[in-house]
Amino acid sequence: MNLFGNSTAAPSLTDSIFGSSSSNTDNPPSNNDLFSKSIPQQQPPSESRKRPRTGKNNTDDAKEKPSVEKATSETPRQTLQRRQTQSRHSILEQFTISAQDYQHSGGDDELYADVRSLMRHHGLVILRNALSEQDVTTITTVADDTQRHICDALDAKKIPYNSSVANEETETFVYKELAVRCQGRMDVRYDYDDNVTTTTTKQQQLPSSLIELVDNLAASILHGAEPPSLVYSGWIFSHPGSANQPWHTDGSPLFGNGINETLPSYAINIFVGLHDADELLVLGPTEFVVGSHQMDPEVVMDTMIDTAVPAVIGKGDVLLYDYRVCHRGTANLSSTLSIAPSSSLSASGVVDKEDDHDETSGGGVVRKVLYQMYARPWFKEHLNFGEKSLFEE
């Protein structure tokens, strides 16, 4: 049975769940259409503006992919140099586009169509220059306020979250507002202060331009009879000295027997870049196995990890990835290394920590990520947070 092709027969179960689709690409949908009806499947973008390729990775690309570290014997400087090398790999160009390219040619409809096509083929998309400098400043201010408030509360309760003698037993915990599931890496609900019983300052609102952009991007990827839902919005704070995450996907497969890998996207995550790209190489970019949304997760983690590449996003960039893509957050090296000022960059682009000056009194810089998860209306995410509030006495 052709689950996703055109048919004159009665709608299949998949059509009922995901919404019907069409192969007609002559009339791309308007913004309003994105939220009111099923959007036709788009063909890969044309080469007229040398956009990234959307075909499967070829053999040469697979051979060129640099290896992810297999041992802990790397020094921080070696790890950074490997990240720099991986970040220049040609495969990243295949799913990287710039919002500026669409301002004078094609417009929003073409942008959404290209994002949808790249996501379908690769499982992730990097959209450069998606947000203004002012938007990034506003989001960063909210992130800083959130981090300070949460960390002050943890410090007041003497709860370690990034100690020098970190281990899983002392640094894995959950509250209603946040969860620490990996050394030095904190997941905080965006609406955390709705749970606070003490007097707090309500968080600033995110920029309306960001909300409009991510809503439209999500609707273009998760197109169907009904618009997608914003399931979750939160912050990731990766502290200096944080550990590599285990390789993982963001949830369990909906179906077994290879069916899950054939489905269209049913949930996505969107990251907003709040750091310069060079700085992010030190702070720990997220690594992805490209195309793994169409593979068995166990096979990917057993045999494909060496093909992973870091998705290095700069300030104002947006990263989108399919819920099924295998990925991990990487260690924050900023307690040891930091990007030097542009006027004093060494050949390697880094300086040792003792020669650098940082904004954080403890040494190092916290990586901040705003992320939002969207899903089809019928999909339910089971978030692993606690019942007790951090702010309860």
Side-chain angles (χ1 to χ4, degrees):
M1 179 177 65
N2 183 0
L3 293 179
F4 303 112
N6 295 328
S7 175
T8 58
S12 67
L13 174 61
T14 307
D15 287 336
S16 300
I17 296 175
F18 291 92
S20 60
S21 64
S22 168
S23 60
N24 178 21
T25 61
D26 295 333
N27 299 300
S30 68
N31 289 349
N32 290 334
D33 288 341
L34 295 177
F35 296 93
S36 61
K37 66 180 182 181
S38 175
I39 294 177
Q41 295 284 350
Q42 300 292 318
Q43 298 299 321
S46 68
E47 297 294 331
S48 59
R49 288 191 279 117
K50 296 184 179 179
R51 293 197 204 105
R53 291 172 291 165
T54 58
K56 297 293 184 182
N57 304 333
N58 60 35
T59 304
D60 291 337
D61 284 336
K63 289 179 179 178
E64 290 174 6
K65 292 178 183 177
S67 175
V68 179
E69 74 266 27
K70 295 181 180 179
T72 58
S73 58
E74 275 188 332
T75 66
R77 184 177 290 274
Q78 289 171 333
T79 299
L80 178 57
Q81 289 172 340
R82 175 181 50 75
R83 289 176 183 175
Q84 290 171 325
T85 299
Q86 290 176 322
S87 70
R88 294 189 288 268
H89 194 274
S90 61
I91 193 174
L92 293 165
E93 299 175 1
Q94 297 184 20
F95 51 83
T96 300
I97 55 179
S98 174
Q100 293 178 343
D101 291 341
Y102 297 83
Q103 291 177 356
H104 306 293
S105 174
D108 289 346
D109 289 342
E110 189 174 0
L111 169 63
Y112 299 142
D114 285 355
V115 167
R116 180 165 60 252
S117 180
L118 290 169
M119 179 69 82
R120 187 170 69 249
H121 284 274
H122 299 290
L124 65 158
V125 181
I126 295 174
L127 180 60
R128 303 284 187 204
N129 309 306
L131 300 171
S132 69
E133 183 177 346
Q134 181 58 51
D135 286 343
V136 173
T137 299
T138 299
I139 299 166
T140 301
T141 299
V142 180
D144 290 340
D145 290 345
T146 300
Q147 179 200 343
R148 187 179 305 109
H149 189 211
I150 291 291
C151 289
D152 285 350
L154 290 170
D155 291 339
K157 290 181 176 288
K158 295 182 169 51
I159 300 173
Y161 53 90
N162 197 38
S163 68
S164 58
V165 289
N167 61 72
E168 216 172 88
E169 291 182 359
T170 61
E171 293 207 6
T172 301
F173 55 85
V174 292
Y175 282 94
K176 187 182 296 185
E177 299 82 11
L178 77 153
V180 175
R181 309 182 187 96
C182 180
Q183 177 193 329
R185 194 175 305 274
M186 191 180 296
D187 183 356
V188 180
R189 293 177 181 271
Y190 175 77
D191 59 351
Y192 79 93
D193 58 359
D194 287 341
N195 301 317
V196 177
T197 55
T198 56
T199 302
T200 62
T201 301
K202 180 65 179 175
Q203 292 189 76
Q204 301 178 37
Q205 294 297 311
L206 295 176
S208 59
S209 54
L210 168 67
I211 302 301
E212 180 180 5
L213 174 66
V214 296
D215 278 354
N216 287 340
L217 288 170
S220 70
I221 296 167
L222 303 172
H223 56 89
E226 298 180 50
S229 302
L230 175 61
V231 177
Y232 181 76
S233 184
W235 306 95
I236 294 293
F237 299 116
S238 177
H239 292 79
S242 64
N244 289 327
Q245 276 187 306
W247 288 99
H248 65 283
T249 60
D250 283 336
S252 301
L254 292 180
F255 307 102
N257 300 320
I259 296 175
N260 207 65
E261 295 83 59
T262 68
L263 299 177
S265 296
Y266 51 84
I268 63 170
N269 269 314
I270 301 177
F271 285 6
V272 177
L274 301 177
H275 300 275
D276 290 330
D278 284 343
E279 185 180 32
L280 183 59
L281 286 167
V282 176
L283 302 185
T286 305
E287 293 176 337
F288 293 88
V289 179
V290 180
S292 55
H293 63 308
Q294 297 173 337
M295 307 175 192
D296 184 315
E298 293 186 4
V299 173
V300 171
M301 288 185 235
D302 286 344
T303 65
M304 299 287 291
I305 296 307
D306 283 354
T307 70
V309 290
V312 181
I313 55 175
K315 288 182 178 179
D317 295 345
V318 170
L319 166 70
L320 307 95
Y321 68 92
D322 191 289
Y323 189 80
R324 298 164 293 178
V325 169
C326 184
H327 64 282
R328 69 168 181 175
T330 59
N332 185 332
L333 308 177
S334 65
S335 59
T336 306
L337 298 173
S338 179
I339 294 295
S342 57
S343 59
S344 59
L345 277 176
S346 63
S348 64
V350 298
V351 293
D352 291 326
K353 196 65 189 176
E354 55 266 26
D355 298 325
D356 190 43
H357 300 283
D358 264 307
E359 62 191 54
T360 307
S361 59
V365 177
V366 177
R367 183 194 177 188
K368 309 172 190 73
V369 180
L370 170 65
Y371 76 97
Q372 296 188 297
M373 178 188 170
Y374 285 81
R376 297 182 186 274
W378 47 261
F379 181 78
K380 302 300 180 185
E381 169 74 333
H382 301 285
L383 299 172
N384 185 18
F385 287 87
E387 297 295 327
K388 183 179 179 180
S389 172
L390 173 65
F391 299 93
E392 291 178 5
E393 295 297 333

